[in-house]
C-alpha cells in the first residue's frame, strides 16, 4: 500500500511543473517579484511593472500553458510580433498629449535631439561586443526611451532580440525615477536646479490643429519607415485638438490605451522565460540599455546648461533630461527633482517641450536606421 501511494504521488508530481523547475526559472521568478515590488510598493510606473512582473513569473512556472502556441500570453505576443500594439499605443498617447509646450518654445526641440546621445553610445558599444550593425541599431534605440519605437525598430531589424530589448526599454522607462535623478544632480548645482522659468506663450487652437497635419505629411515624405507610428500619434492628437470627436479622443486616450497597455505588458513579461532570456547577450543588452539612459540623461542636461548660459539664466537645466522620449515619465522626473529644491517651481509644462521633441528624435533616429538598413 505504501509503495502504491509513493508511486501515485510520484506520478502526480511528474504531471506538475515541480519536477521541471530549474535554477534559471527560480532566478527569473525572483526577478519578476522584484518588478512587482518596485511597481506596487515603490510605485515606479505600476502601469508597466505590474503586468510585466506577473507575466514574467508565470512564464517561468514549468507546465504553464499560457506561453505555448494558442495560449493567452502567446496570443498577446502576436500583437507585438505583428506590430499591431505599438501604433495603437501611439494613437492613445497622441490623444492624451498637449503639444502646446513644444509649439510654444520650439528652441527646446534641441534638447530632444541632445538627449539621444545614448542611442549612439549604446550602438557603438554593441558593435564592440560583436553584434551585427542591425542588432546594434536595435540595441541602441533603447536609449530613446520609447517602448513602441524600440519594439517597432527591433521587429524590423533584429526580431530575435525583441524579448531582451523590449524588457530593457520598458523596465528602464519605469525605473527613470531611480536612474535619472543622480545623473541630473551630479551635473547641476543647487542654484541651477532652483531656476524658475517664465510661463510659455499661449498656443492657439489653429496652431494645435495644423501641427499634427503638417507633421504627418513631413514624416510620410521623409521618414516612411516610421510613418505608421507617427501617423497614429498625430491622428490621436488631431482627434484631441479638433474638439469635434470627443468620444473618439476619450476612448483612445483612456479605455483603448489602458487595454493595449495591459496586453503589451503581459506580452513583454511573457518573453522573459529563463531558457531564452538568461544569456550573456541579455546581460550585455541590459547593461548597454542602462548606459544609454545615463548618457542620454547626461547629454540632455549638459545641452540645457549651455542653453541656460546663452539665454542669460532663463532655462532650468533639469528639463534637459526630459529630452529622453518617455512621455510623460521623463518630464515628471524633471519636475519632481526641481520641486525638491524649490517647492514653488513647476517645471512640468516646460519639461514637456523637450519630452515631446524626444519622441520625434527617437523616430528620426529609428527612421534613419531603418532606411539605411532596409528595415
Amino acid at each position: 500500500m505504501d509503495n502504491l501511494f509513493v508511486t501515485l504521488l510520484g506520478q502526480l508530481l511528474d504531471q506538475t511543473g515541480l519536477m521541471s523547475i530549474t535554477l534559471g526559472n527560480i532566478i527569473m521568478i525572483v526577478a519578476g517579484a522584484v518588478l512587482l515590488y518596485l511597481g506596487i510598493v515603490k510605485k515606479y510606473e505600476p502601469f508597466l511593472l505590474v503586468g510585466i512582473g506577473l507575466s514574467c513569473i508565470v512564464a517561468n512556472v514549468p507546465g504553464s500553458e499560457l506561453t505555448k502556441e494558442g495560449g493567452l500570453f502567446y496570443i498577446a505576443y502576436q500583437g507585438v510580433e505583428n506590430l499591431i500594439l505599438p501604433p495603437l499605443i501611439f494613437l492613445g498617447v497622441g490623444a492624451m498629449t498637449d503639444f502646446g509646450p513644444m509649439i510654444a518654445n520650439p528652441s527646446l526641440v534641441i534638447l530632444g535631439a541632445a538627449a539621444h546621445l545614448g542611442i549612439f553610445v549604446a550602438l557603438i558599444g554593441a558593435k564592440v561586443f560583436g553584434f551585427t550593425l542591425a542588432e546594434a541599431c536595435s540595441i541602441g534605440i533603447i536609449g530613446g526611451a520609447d517602448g513602441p519605437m524600440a519594439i517597432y525598430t527591433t521587429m524590423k531589424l533584429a526580431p530575435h532580440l525583441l524579448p531582451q530589448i523590449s524588457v530593457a526599454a520598458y523596465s528602464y522607462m519605469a525605473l527613470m525615477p531611480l536612474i535619472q535623478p543622480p545623473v541630473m544632480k551630479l551635473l547641476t548645482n543647487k542654484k541651477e536646479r532652483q531656476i524658475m522659468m517664465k510661463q510659455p506663450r499661449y498656443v492657439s487652437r489653429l496652431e494645435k490643429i495644423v501641427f499634427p497635419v503638417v507633421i504627418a505629411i513631413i514624416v510620410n515624405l521623409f521618414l516612411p519607415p516610421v510613418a505608421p507610428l507617427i501617423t497614429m500619434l498625430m491622428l490621436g492628437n488631431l482627434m484631441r485638438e479638433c474638439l469635434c470627436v470627443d468620444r473618439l479622443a476619450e476612448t483612445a486616450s483612456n479605455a483603448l490605451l489602458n487595454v493595449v497597455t495591459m496586453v503589451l505588458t503581459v506580452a513583454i513579461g511573457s518573453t522573459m522565460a529563463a531558457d531564452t532570456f538568461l544569456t550573456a547577450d541579455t546581460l550585455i543588452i541590459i547593461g548597454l540599455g542602462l548606459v544609454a539612459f545615463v548618457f542620454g540623461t547626461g547629454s540632455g542636461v549638459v545641452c540645457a546648461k549651455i542653453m541656460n548660459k546663452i539665454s542669460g539664466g532663463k532655462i532650468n537645466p533639469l528639463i534637459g533630461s526630459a529630452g529622453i522620449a518617455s512621455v510623460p515619465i521623463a518630464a515628471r522626473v524633471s519636475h519632481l527633482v526641481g520641486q525638491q529644491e524649490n517647492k514653488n517651481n513647476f517645471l512640468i509644462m516646460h519639461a514637456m517641450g523637450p519630452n515631446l521633441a524626444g519622441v520625434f528624435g527617437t523616430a528620426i533616429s529609428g527612421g534613419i536606421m531603418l532606411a539605411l538598413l532596409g528595415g
Side-chain angles (χ1 to χ4, degrees):
M1 188 70 180
D2 289 341
N3 289 337
L4 178 61
F5 175 76
V6 171
T7 301
L8 290 174
L9 181 60
Q11 291 176 348
L12 179 62
L13 289 175
D14 286 339
Q15 293 176 10
T16 70
L18 288 174
M19 305 304 291
S20 304
I21 197 164
T22 66
L23 177 60
N25 293 138
I26 295 173
I27 292 172
M28 294 308 299
I29 288 172
V30 172
V34 170
L35 293 178
L36 285 179
Y37 171 79
L38 292 172
I40 297 171
V41 179
K42 293 297 185 180
K43 309 298 182 187
Y44 293 140
E45 299 304 324
F47 285 98
L48 298 176
L49 291 188
V50 170
I52 294 175
L54 182 60
S55 52
C56 171
I57 291 173
V58 173
N60 285 280
V61 174
S64 172
E65 299 288 331
L66 293 179
T67 57
K68 296 180 180 179
E69 186 170 352
L72 181 63
F73 287 2
Y74 174 86
I75 293 171
Y77 184 72
Q78 300 312 299
V80 175
E81 191 173 62
N82 294 295
L83 297 177
I84 298 170
L85 299 183
L88 292 178
I89 288 284
F90 265 55
L91 176 68
V93 170
M96 66 184 294
T97 301
D98 179 8
F99 281 93
M102 190 176 79
I103 300 171
N105 196 348
S107 64
L108 296 182
V109 170
I110 297 172
L111 297 176
H116 283 67
L117 176 64
I119 291 178
F120 303 99
V121 171
L123 191 160
I124 294 169
K127 283 296 295 175
V128 170
F129 278 105
F131 289 94
T132 67
L133 182 57
E135 291 172 336
C137 287
S138 298
I139 294 169
I141 210 70
I142 296 172
D146 188 329
M149 186 63 71
I151 290 172
Y152 189 87
T153 304
T154 302
M155 281 306 302
K156 295 285 188 178
L157 297 179
H160 57 287
L161 294 181
L162 182 63
Q164 293 88 342
I165 289 173
S166 59
V167 167
Y170 275 98
S171 297
Y172 287 139
M173 284 166 58
L175 295 176
M176 274 188 178
L178 275 180
I179 298 170
Q180 288 195 304
V183 180
M184 297 159 69
K185 292 177 181 178
L186 178 66
L187 296 175
T188 58
N189 57 50
K190 189 177 183 69
K191 183 178 179 181
E192 289 173 328
R193 294 194 292 271
Q194 291 180 330
I195 293 174
M196 298 182 67
M197 298 176 63
K198 69 176 184 179
Q199 187 75 13
R201 74 169 180 85
Y202 170 76
V203 178
S204 69
R205 180 64 52 188
L206 178 61
E207 289 177 280
K208 291 185 177 183
I209 291 175
V210 170
F211 178 79
V213 177
V214 172
I215 293 297
I217 293 172
I218 292 173
V219 168
N220 279 271
L221 276 175
F222 297 105
L223 292 170
V226 294
L229 294 180
I230 301 302
T231 299
M232 293 300 280
L233 179 72
M234 293 299 101
L235 174 60
N237 188 245
L238 182 61
M239 290 192 301
R240 167 195 167 93
E241 301 299 350
C242 70
L243 301 181
C244 58
V245 287
D246 291 346
R247 283 191 305 156
L248 296 181
E250 177 68 19
T251 299
S253 62
N254 287 287
L256 178 62
L257 185 58
N258 290 337
V259 170
V260 174
T261 299
M262 285 189 288
V263 176
L264 183 66
T265 55
V266 165
I268 291 170
S270 69
T271 65
M272 299 174 70
D275 55 345
T276 57
F277 198 80
L278 284 181
T279 65
D281 282 353
T282 297
L283 293 177
I284 293 171
I285 290 169
I286 290 176
L288 288 172
L290 179 59
V291 169
F293 269 63
V294 170
F295 270 87
T297 300
S299 60
V301 171
V302 170
C303 183
K305 284 170 69 77
I306 295 171
M307 293 180 68
N308 177 56
K309 295 294 184 184
I310 295 173
S311 67
K314 297 179 180 178
I315 295 176
N316 189 315
L318 292 177
I319 68 171
S321 65
I324 285 182
S326 182
V327 179
I329 302 172
R332 189 160 59 238
V333 173
S334 297
H335 172 72
L336 292 175
V337 174
Q339 284 219 314
Q340 289 174 4
E341 304 291 347
N342 182 353
K343 293 189 180 297
N344 296 316
N345 202 357
F346 295 91
L347 293 176
I348 186 70
M349 290 305 295
H350 302 287
M352 282 300 295
N355 200 189
L356 294 168
V359 174
F360 296 105
T362 305
I364 292 171
S365 299
I368 291 173
M369 292 172 182
L370 292 173
L372 293 177
L373 297 176

